[in-house]
């Protein structure tokens, strides 16, 4: 117990000392995860809308596959992307392995099904009358989609937050595609794993606290926006 | 001509919900679409609002053939606005709800404010301009939904059961608003209802729908009944276990019976008249329609009788009068 308390106090001291190495790790984590979340949202939300509102053969199968991919293990994504971007791989010429770009690619693949599936879940439950009201008031397809987005925004944003939570806390992709290079691709989770291997827990606890703080801040902000909108 | 519909069919799976060989609607008048639940009223309204395509058939709006694809459909849709049964408003302010259609139409901000206030005045909701729309009551929501449609200055307004979710007082207000929309703004109106008296008092022309088909006027009295046969093989239809009418039919068991309101004969309470197949009833409501008078008589069930204005005048017929009513066999039809 003393060990935990000591680690906790030392962690606070590390954060308080504004150690540039620690804050660079946090910066890389946020940069990679936010980039991946943004790209996955830009791709996943419109895809979710299309699947939700278009009728096509095999729609149910697509939804089942997307839902299943929500549980995709990070190491599987890591291996898959590695196979493409390693020197011998199809995209080896791009020299992406052990870069932040590779980590972003892997994380986008990881959370695209989450954003898409949760968008489908949110929009398919929306009252059909909203769509008809928008259409009869003269809205075209894009304006109608924006109305649906507005009415389901909290469900969709919750999906995006869940996706962000998945990537900021994952380790498999960051380790396999980023390589945990200090000052370049080291993230909070890969740093924590390294510190654990070394038997040093202080930095690990500090970064763990930051991870929880980020999650708490995002959720407080989301609730605040939700409350302001009266929803 | 506003709409011309030909050979219209709409199906859901194997079920045909609409089958209309021809329907012509003129500009500038109020039509009512009357029918029981499941008769296809909402589906027809949604097709006329260009929201839902028919399975087959041709629809012409202002002589333009509607193909239900492409950008042209959105621009035509901007002339026709439908107010849904139990409407929903966007989760924002009343002002922004009304602003939505105007923004789409590229109306300037200054003009938007003016039009929004004008529309809210017409539905007597001007005090609610800044209110949160999703916190309004059913009646208030209905009025704002009408204002939301009206502010777009449409040529046609379609109302799906506009008074089904409001109290009696709001019902009268909404009927008056519909009248004003038609008379002051010269907007063509069609509304659906299952209330025959509302259809009669509010619309210039009543279109009856029954099981997806346009029913002739003779289908305005439709009752659930049961066919019975006496010892001589004569068949009668027993309505609600109260009224027994002789019918000519091969059907047995539970049926629907139509009594043609134009062919029902009335006689004074006392005096000469037929002795058989006669019912005693009391006039409970009289509605002056554009081409006659609709009297509703209580004979154990409410019965619509359509009379000429001259007949009403000559007989000095008033609400509360007792009558003897005859339904000749050619007035009844087993459906």
């Amino acid at each position: 117990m003393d060990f935990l308390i000591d680690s906790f106090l030392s962690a606070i001291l590390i954060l308080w000392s504004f150690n540039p190495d620690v804050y660079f790790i946090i910066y890389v984590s946020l940069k990679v995860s936010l980039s991946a979340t943004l790209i996955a949202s830009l791709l996943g939300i419109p895809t979710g809308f299309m699947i939700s509102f278009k009728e096509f053969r095999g729609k149910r199968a697509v939804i089942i596959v997307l839902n299943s991919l929500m549980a995709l293990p990070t190491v599987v994504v890591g291996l898959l992307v590695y196979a493409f971007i390693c020197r011998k791989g199809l995209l080896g010429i791009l020299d992406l392995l052990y870069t932040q770009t590779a980590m972003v690619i892997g994380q986008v693949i990881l959370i695209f099904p989450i954003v898409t599936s949760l968008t489908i879940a949110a929009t398919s439950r929306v009252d059909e009358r909203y769509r008809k009201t928008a259409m009869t008031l003269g809205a075209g397809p894009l304006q109608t989609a924006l109305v649906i987005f507005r009415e389901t925004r909290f469900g969709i944003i919750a999906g995006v937050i869940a996706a962000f939570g998945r990537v900021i806390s994952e380790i498999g992709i960051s380790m396999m595609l980023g390589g945990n290079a200090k000052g370049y691709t080291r993230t909070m989770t890969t740093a924590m794993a390294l510190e654990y291997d070394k038997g040093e827990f202080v930095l690990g606890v500090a970064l763990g606290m930051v991870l929880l703080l980020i999650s708490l801040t995002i959720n407080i902000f989301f609730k605040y926006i939700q409350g302001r909108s009266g929803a | 001509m506003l709409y011309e519909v030909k050979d219209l069919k709409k199906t859901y799976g194997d079920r045909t919900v609409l089958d209309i060989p021809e329907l012509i609607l003129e500009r500038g008048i109020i039509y009512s679409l009357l029918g029981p639940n499941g008769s296809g009223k909402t589906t027809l309204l949604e097709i006329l609002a260009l929201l839902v395509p028919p399975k087959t058939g041709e629809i012409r709006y202002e002589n333009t053939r509607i193909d239900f694809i492409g950008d042209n459909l959105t621009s035509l849709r901007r002339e026709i606005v439908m107010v849904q049964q139990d409407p929903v408003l966007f989760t924002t302010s009343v002002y922004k709800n009304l602003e939505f259609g105007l923004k789409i139409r590229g109306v300037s901000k200054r003009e938007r404010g003016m039009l929004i206030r004008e529309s809210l005045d017409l539905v007597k909701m001007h005090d609610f301009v800044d209110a949160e729309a999703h916190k309004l009551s059913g009646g208030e929501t209905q009025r704002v939904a009408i204002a939301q449609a009206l502010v777009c200055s449409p040529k046609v307004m379609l109302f799906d059961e506009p008074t089904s979710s409001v109290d009696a007082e709001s019902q009268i207000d909404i009927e008056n608003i519909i009248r004003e929309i038609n008379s002051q703004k010269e907007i063509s109106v069609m509304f659906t209802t299952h209330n025959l008296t509302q259809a009669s008092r509010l619309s210039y022309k009543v279109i009856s729908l029954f099981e997806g088909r346009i029913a002739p006027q003779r289908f305005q009295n439709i009752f659930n009944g049961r066919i019975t046969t006496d010892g001589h093989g004569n068949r009668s239809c027993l309505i609600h276990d109260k009224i027994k009418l002789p019918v000519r039919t091969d059907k047995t068991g539970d049926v629907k019976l139509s009594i043609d309101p134009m062919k029902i004969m009335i006689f004074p309470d006392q005096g000469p008249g037929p002795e058989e197949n006669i019912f005693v009833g009391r006039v409970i409501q009289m509605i002056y329609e554009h081409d006659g008078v609709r009297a509703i008589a209580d004979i154990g069930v409410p019965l619509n009788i359509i009379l000429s204005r001259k007949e009403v005048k000559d007989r000095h017929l008033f609400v509360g009068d007792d009558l003897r009513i005859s339904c000749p066999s050619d007035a009844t039809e087993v459906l």
Side-chain angles (χ1 to χ4, degrees):
Chain A
M1 196 63 193
D2 287 346
F3 146 77
L4 250 185
I5 293 167
D6 286 348
S7 296
F8 183 73
L9 292 174
S10 305
I12 289 174
L13 282 176
I14 284 184
L15 291 173
W16 191 251
S17 68
F18 293 102
N19 181 327
D21 287 347
V22 174
Y23 280 90
F24 193 77
I25 290 170
I26 296 168
Y27 163 73
V28 171
S29 284
L30 285 173
K31 184 185 166 193
V32 169
S33 299
L34 285 172
S35 304
T37 308
L38 181 70
I39 294 167
S41 300
L42 289 174
L43 296 173
I45 294 171
T47 309
F49 264 83
M50 277 200 285
I51 293 172
S52 193
F53 292 109
K54 292 266 179 206
E55 290 305 322
F56 56 90
R57 189 185 285 264
K59 178 174 172 170
R60 191 175 290 193
V62 169
I63 293 172
I64 290 171
V65 169
L66 281 168
N67 285 340
S68 308
L69 289 177
M70 282 170 75
L72 198 62
T74 53
V75 283
V76 173
V77 179
L79 271 175
L80 186 78
V81 178
Y82 182 88
F84 276 90
I85 64 173
C86 68
R87 272 187 200 285
K88 290 179 190 168
L90 212 59
L91 304 173
I93 197 165
L94 297 175
D95 208 14
L96 288 172
L97 191 59
Y98 304 135
T99 64
Q100 291 179 7
T101 309
M103 292 157 74
V104 171
I105 292 170
Q107 292 191 349
V108 167
I109 293 172
L110 180 73
I111 60 170
F112 172 78
I114 297 176
V115 176
T116 308
S117 289
L118 295 181
T119 300
I120 294 169
T123 51
S124 59
R125 276 200 306 265
V126 73
D127 195 326
E128 173 69 3
R129 290 175 297 173
Y130 285 114
R131 195 174 67 86
K132 284 186 178 165
T133 302
M135 282 167 69
T136 198
L137 291 173
L142 184 64
Q143 289 152 328
T144 305
L146 287 174
V147 166
I148 303 294
F149 177 79
R150 210 188 131 70
E151 295 303 326
T152 56
R153 62 194 182 280
F154 295 119
I156 294 171
I157 291 170
V160 172
I161 288 174
F164 176 74
R166 179 103 163 102
V167 285
I168 193 90
S169 59
E170 71 81 28
I171 183 164
I173 293 168
S174 300
M175 195 65 96
M176 293 167 80
L177 303 177
N180 196 20
K182 188 181 176 189
Y184 185 49
T185 57
R186 182 163 296 172
T187 64
M188 289 190 277
T189 51
T190 56
M192 283 164 80
L194 182 69
E195 295 301 303
Y196 169 78
D197 283 346
K198 290 193 314 197
E200 295 281 340
F201 296 100
V202 175
L203 182 61
V205 172
L207 293 173
M209 281 163 56
V210 173
L211 259 178
L212 285 173
L213 198 68
I214 289 169
S215 173
L216 190 68
T217 309
I218 287 174
N219 278 290
I220 289 171
F221 181 68
F222 178 54
K223 278 285 164 203
Y224 172 72
I225 298 284
Q226 219 174 356
R228 270 174 66 102
S229 304
Chain B
M1 194 182 303
L2 188 66
Y3 283 101
E4 191 179 359
V5 173
K6 270 189 184 158
D7 301 322
L8 178 100
K9 274 196 181 179
K10 180 73 185 172
T11 54
Y12 290 119
D14 294 337
R15 198 164 63 93
T16 301
V17 291
L18 271 183
D19 184 358
I20 299 176
E22 189 177 43
L23 177 65
I24 290 171
L25 303 175
E26 299 295 340
R27 206 176 282 129
I29 57 177
I30 303 180
Y31 288 92
S32 58
L33 201 52
L34 176 75
N37 291 338
S39 57
K41 303 189 295 291
T42 302
T43 308
L44 178 56
L45 219 58
E46 286 182 344
I47 291 172
L48 294 178
L50 315 183
L51 293 174
V52 173
K55 173 88 173 168
T56 55
E58 185 181 298
I59 295 171
R60 284 181 177 274
Y61 167 73
E62 297 218 305
N63 295 321
T64 305
R65 192 177 189 278
I66 310 292
D67 55 10
F68 284 92
I69 44 165
D71 294 338
N72 191 33
L73 185 64
T74 304
S75 63
L76 281 174
R77 216 184 260 146
R78 289 184 185 166
E79 297 186 4
I80 309 159
V81 184
M82 176 174 166
V83 180
Q84 299 177 75
Q85 182 180 11
D86 195 12
V88 288
L89 297 171
F90 305 135
T91 44
T92 180
S93 68
V94 166
Y95 186 91
K96 284 189 174 167
N97 264 277
L98 266 70
E99 201 180 27
F100 180 79
L102 296 175
K103 271 186 171 173
I104 283 172
R105 287 163 176 79
V107 177
S108 71
K109 194 175 180 185
R110 210 174 124 223
E111 207 179 340
R112 289 204 296 262
M114 199 179 71
L115 289 168
I116 289 168
R117 274 186 291 278
E118 193 183 302
S119 292
L120 286 174
D121 276 349
L122 201 139
V123 298
K124 298 184 179 68
M125 286 293 287
H126 40 270
D127 292 339
F128 290 78
V129 65
D130 295 319
E132 287 294 327
H134 57 281
K135 291 179 181 167
L136 300 178
S137 72
E140 289 163 352
T141 301
Q142 187 76 42
R143 284 166 192 242
V144 173
I146 293 173
Q148 189 186 36
L150 184 65
V151 78
C152 301
S153 308
K155 288 184 180 174
V156 185
M157 282 184 79
L158 306 165
F159 297 87
D160 192 8
E161 308 243 0
T163 58
S164 66
S165 58
V166 298
D167 58 28
E169 194 184 343
S170 296
Q171 189 175 328
I172 294 165
D173 285 345
I174 287 168
E175 285 183 8
N176 287 334
I177 291 166
I178 292 174
R179 273 192 202 96
E180 266 184 69
I181 286 169
N182 176 249
S183 60
Q184 287 183 16
K185 307 267 178 187
E186 295 179 354
I187 295 172
S188 307
V189 172
M190 177 180 255
F191 70 94
T192 66
T193 181
H194 52 257
N195 183 337
L196 182 58
T197 54
Q198 183 183 53
S200 302
R201 72 174 169 259
L202 190 54
S203 64
Y204 177 78
K205 191 168 180 193
V206 181
I207 298 166
S208 295
L209 261 190
F210 185 68
E211 293 180 347
R213 295 163 193 269
I214 291 183
Q217 201 175 30
R218 66 176 190 273
F219 282 6
Q220 288 184 9
N221 291 307
I222 293 179
F223 303 103
N224 290 318
R226 198 173 69 246
I227 300 294
T228 58
T229 310
D230 66 15
H232 304 288
N234 298 321
R235 292 195 164 180
S236 303
C237 184
L238 188 64
I239 301 168
H240 294 299
D241 293 326
K242 290 176 186 165
I243 318 268
K244 201 172 188 180
L245 283 169
V247 289
R248 287 184 217 138
T249 181
D250 295 330
K251 291 184 179 171
T252 55
D254 293 334
V255 292
K256 285 195 187 294
L257 182 79
S258 157
I259 305 172
D260 187 345
M262 308 280 281
K263 290 185 177 169
I264 297 170
M265 292 189 288
I266 60 169
F267 303 95
D269 186 24
Q270 288 165 351
E275 295 299 321
E276 289 184 349
N277 192 19
I278 198 104
F279 306 98
V280 177
R282 176 168 289 176
V283 178
I284 54 172
Q285 199 170 3
M286 286 173 70
I287 303 153
Y288 281 75
E289 296 179 353
H290 71 281
D291 53 359
V293 178
R294 178 184 302 277
I296 300 175
D298 181 7
I299 59 166
V301 290
L303 186 71
N304 283 278
I305 306 164
I306 293 178
L307 305 162
S308 68
R309 285 172 191 255
K310 185 174 181 303
E311 202 174 357
V312 171
K313 195 176 171 186
D314 290 349
R315 288 179 184 275
H316 301 288
L317 193 64
F318 293 104
V319 172
D321 287 355
D322 288 328
L323 294 172
R324 284 184 299 155
I325 294 160
S326 169
C327 299
S329 57
D330 68 334
T332 60
E333 188 175 341
V334 177
L335 305 175

